[in-house]
Amino acid sequence: MFVPSGDSVPDLAGCTLLMPAVSVGNVGQLAIDLIISTLNMHKIGYFYIDCLVPMVGNNPYATAEENSAELSINAEVYALPSKKLVALQLRSIFIKYKSKSFCEKLLSWVKSSGCAKVVVLSSSHSYHRNDLQLRSTPFRYILTPSMQKSVQKKIQSLNWEEMEKTPCIPEIDDSEFCVRVPGGGITKLLYDEGCSKEIPIAILLKFVSEGDKIPDALGLVEYLNEWLQIIKPHCVDPTASSLPWKMPSSWRLLFGSGLPPALF
Amino acid sequence: MAATFFGEVVRTPCRAGTEDEEEEEEGRRETPEDREVRRQLARKREVRLFRRQTKTMLEVSLLEKHPCSKFIIAIGNNAVAFLSSFVMNSGTWEEVGCAKLWNEWCRTTDTAHLSPTEAFCVFYHLKSNPSVFGSCPRRNMQVTILTCRHVTDYKTSESTSSLHTPFLKALKTQNFKEPPFCSLLEQPNIVHDLPAAVLSYCQVWRIPAILYLCYTDVMKLDLITVEAFKPVLSSRSLKCLVKNIPQSTEILKKLMTTNEIQSNIYT
């Protein structure tokens, strides 16, 4: 359930909810971190639930000593009212068999809070690509029917590729086609729930393999930015020295502590 | 999927956690019998609170029956040894309940009749000062959590082998106003499991709480690790409960010796 961190319940009517799917390479979560950090979104509450492994730590977006001591938990909600943006960040994995329950509770909150649409940032195993996908852009989008009505034209003008449907039962020739996102975590579940509950959901994903996913996360936020224009478009200037996206201070030591000098 | 050095293709674990497709298919294939088995397993795994003296289940939650102003939780053998030797050696502590639980990792197979020695968590309250507070005990409650982690879990830009262990780090909720007795745990370090679950609850429901985490390179019961928690004895929660430190040190040494004798097969 959503628990506000302040004294009043924030008004989310008409906002766009950005959220990650805990998926291969954690690309969606890294992308949401970039968005929260760059836009300096402030925390408005917690999504307190028993479906995720518990985890706590100090403020991952700390910019100074003063704001480094705020405790963060595994599922928190941030907002930027000026752009009617709300971001939900998930920081741990789902407990087995609890994914469906999470999706149901989340979408029920989305409906009751009046969010206009949900954008899910996700990823899929790159080794599952077919020949056509190998030769094209690694980015894909999926829209629920209620989202298609409102954004189809805009998406088409961006020349984006829709996620290809695959046969539900590969062994049978005339099997029906359905949406599959291998390695996408709860992406498919959210899509199915969104379809049945008529919630406008757009899923933006990238085909990735495991490894250092920072470049992929940057790619995914740029892809999102083409549509939502969260920040001013990055000018294609090779002399521009700084990235428009700000990496959070918690992105240190992603691959462990320093090495013992005696090793060498 | 990944190719190994020898050219074989193996399935690599995914950081996303469970293989989502497996779970989906399991859900589709589930029969009513499967659902019943899963429901019974979930019931078996429920945490139950009961009184060891009477062997009866507690009908109301522990905090409802014994509201308190200070709730101290020790997780792990070193933290428990510290609490037993330095805090619970003074005054009379009465056992008010214990929690027993079972999951597939437990070695015992009989879940209906777990013996008292198999209780995993015991709750005590100080007889002389039960600290009952009016109608909203939770609002006035302060929680202290003590636990240990191996130093290799600690992320730092220098090598962990150069750190002087054991050392204490703290994490506190927004409503905890007292200054901690050690430095705060810096990002990108995080805490999982039970200490994280308790701290998350306290943060969300605005209960002042602090976690003292001891990073050590000895995970079994160890005198130096236990003594690393000593700064915490000056905290508001524990100060009034600590009476006799030399006596506590003696109790601690006895605990260590008992443990050593049991674990040494050569004497």
Side-chain angles (χ1 to χ4, degrees), chain B residues 77-88:
Chain B
N77 50 10
N78 285 302
V80 168
F82 171 77
L83 211 59
S84 309
S85 319
F86 288 87
V87 177
M88 290 172 62

Side-chain angles (χ1 to χ4, degrees), chain A residues 3 12 20 58 98 131 133 135 141 150 171 173 247 252:
Chain A
V3 180
L12 305 179
N58 273 328
K98 296 252 181 170
D131 292 345
Q133 288 168 330
R135 290 194 282 260
Y141 73 91
S150 44
E171 298 82 19
D173 285 335
M247 293 194 212
R252 295 172 52 233

Side-chain angles (χ1 to χ4, degrees), chain B residues 122-142:
Chain B
V122 189
F123 299 94
Y124 299 90
H125 85 161
L126 187 59
K127 266 180 125 160
S128 57
N129 183 12
S131 288
V132 177
F133 262 73
S135 53
C136 296
R138 282 201 194 124
R139 279 276 140 85
N140 297 311
M141 185 170 67
Q142 194 176 75

Side-chain angles (χ1 to χ4, degrees), chain A residues 79-240:
Chain A
L80 186 66
S82 57
K83 290 199 193 254
K84 287 205 114 25
L85 270 180
V86 177
L88 165 69
Q89 179 59 302
L90 303 176
R91 301 194 172 100
S92 61
I93 54 174
F94 286 97
I95 292 168
K96 207 166 166 66
Y97 306 121
K98 296 252 181 170
S99 317
K100 193 155 199 286
S101 159
F102 173 82
C103 294
E104 285 163 6
K105 288 176 182 150
L106 173 75
L107 294 183
S108 144
W109 169 62
V110 163
K111 245 192 166 160
S112 64
S113 60
C115 286
K117 59 181 184 284
V118 182
V119 180
V120 181
L121 300 180
S122 180
S123 52
S124 184
H125 284 306
S126 59
Y127 67 80
H128 264 268
R129 287 176 293 174
N130 61 28
D131 292 345
L132 263 165
Q133 288 168 330
L134 277 168
R135 290 194 282 260
S136 63
T137 165
F139 298 101
R140 291 290 185 277
Y141 73 91
I142 308 169
L143 303 173
T144 56
S146 43
M147 184 66 135
Q148 263 165 2
K149 290 177 219 154
S150 44
V151 307
Q152 191 72 48
K153 273 201 184 126
K154 171 74 183 169
I155 299 278
Q156 270 169 358
S157 72
L158 293 167
N159 285 322
W160 279 5
E161 299 256 7
E162 193 171 5
M163 182 69 164
E164 295 84 349
K165 293 199 166 131
T166 52
C168 293
I169 306 162
E171 298 82 19
I172 298 178
D173 285 335
D174 57 354
S175 148
E176 269 180 30
F177 279 69
C178 56
V179 165
R180 273 183 195 268
V181 187
I186 57 167
T187 307
K188 174 80 162 57
L189 270 171
L190 280 171
Y191 174 75
D192 291 339
E193 280 289 313
C195 288
S196 68
K197 290 190 165 73
E198 290 177 11
I199 297 177
I201 301 181
I203 295 157
L204 270 51
L205 62 89
K206 188 179 187 221
F207 290 116
V208 301
S209 334
E210 290 283 358
D212 179 358
K213 297 293 98 197
I214 296 176
D216 299 86
L218 285 164
L220 194 58
V221 289
E222 286 286 349
Y223 185 58
L224 171 72
N225 204 42
E226 279 177 36
W227 170 30
L228 291 185
Q229 304 273 291
I230 308 174
I231 63 166
K232 284 207 196 80
H234 179 38
C235 56
V236 188
D237 175 8
T239 61

Side-chain angles (χ1 to χ4, degrees), chain B residues 2-237:
Chain B
T4 65
F5 182 72
F6 301 103
E8 63 204 334
V9 175
V10 295
R11 213 161 177 206
T12 48
C14 173
R15 268 185 285 169
T18 60
E19 280 304 321
D20 35 282
E21 299 225 328
E22 271 173 35
E23 223 179 276
E24 256 189 72
E25 281 186 36
E26 269 180 53
R28 273 197 291 267
R29 282 195 300 245
E30 215 174 44
T31 61
E33 288 82 16
D34 292 332
R35 269 194 288 276
E36 181 57 25
V37 166
R38 198 166 287 167
R39 209 180 54 81
Q40 283 188 16
L41 261 176
R43 271 209 66 204
K44 253 170 122 178
R45 280 196 216 106
E46 272 169 17
V47 177
R48 271 166 244 158
L49 295 178
F50 68 103
R51 279 195 73 101
R52 283 205 283 205
Q53 297 91 331
T54 56
K55 292 189 187 169
T56 51
M57 296 265 283
L58 286 178
E59 265 121 33
V60 295
S61 84
L62 212 64
L63 283 177
E64 256 182 67
K65 203 170 164 157
H66 303 276
C68 60
S69 61
K70 295 178 183 117
F71 192 54
I72 306 156
I73 312 170
I75 302 165
N77 50 10
N78 285 302
V80 168
F82 171 77
L83 211 59
S84 309
S85 319
F86 288 87
V87 177
M88 290 172 62
N89 69 324
S90 62
T92 320
W93 290 82
E94 182 197 15
E95 188 182 311
V96 293
C98 67
K100 66 176 189 183
L101 58 90
W102 174 89
N103 60 39
E104 288 82 343
W105 287 9
C106 293
R107 288 185 203 128
T108 171
T109 46
D110 183 356
T111 58
H113 305 101
L114 274 178
S115 79
T117 52
E118 282 161 325
F120 296 95
C121 173
V122 189
F123 299 94
Y124 299 90
H125 85 161
L126 187 59
K127 266 180 125 160
S128 57
N129 183 12
S131 288
V132 177
F133 262 73
S135 53
C136 296
R138 282 201 194 124
R139 279 276 140 85
N140 297 311
M141 185 170 67
Q142 194 176 75
V143 178
T144 307
I145 311 154
L146 308 171
T147 192
C148 289
R149 274 288 177 277
H150 199 275
V151 69
T152 48
D153 273 353
Y154 183 69
K155 285 204 189 143
T156 171
S157 48
E158 38 181 297
S159 151
T160 48
S161 55
S162 63
L163 294 169
H164 296 292
T165 49
F167 59 90
L168 268 189
K169 288 285 175 187
L171 269 180
K172 59 186 183 71
T173 62
Q174 202 162 349
N175 287 58
F176 190 90
K177 301 299 177 197
E178 205 185 315
F181 290 93
C182 59
S183 53
L184 291 177
L185 185 65
E186 322 81 356
Q187 273 286 348
N189 291 290
I190 54 176
V191 174
H192 296 115
D193 303 331
L194 183 57
V198 176
L199 217 57
S200 299
Y201 178 91
C202 293
Q203 173 71 2
V204 172
W205 303 113
R206 309 192 197 182
I207 300 169
I210 187 158
L211 160 67
Y212 284 104
L213 182 52
C214 179
Y215 282 99
T216 174
D217 51 3
V218 181
M219 287 315 280
K220 64 179 180 71
L221 199 58
D222 167 62
L223 189 67
I224 301 174
T225 303
V226 174
E227 290 195 327
F229 282 111
K230 269 182 166 171
V232 181
L233 295 175
S234 317
S235 68
R236 204 158 61 95
S237 283

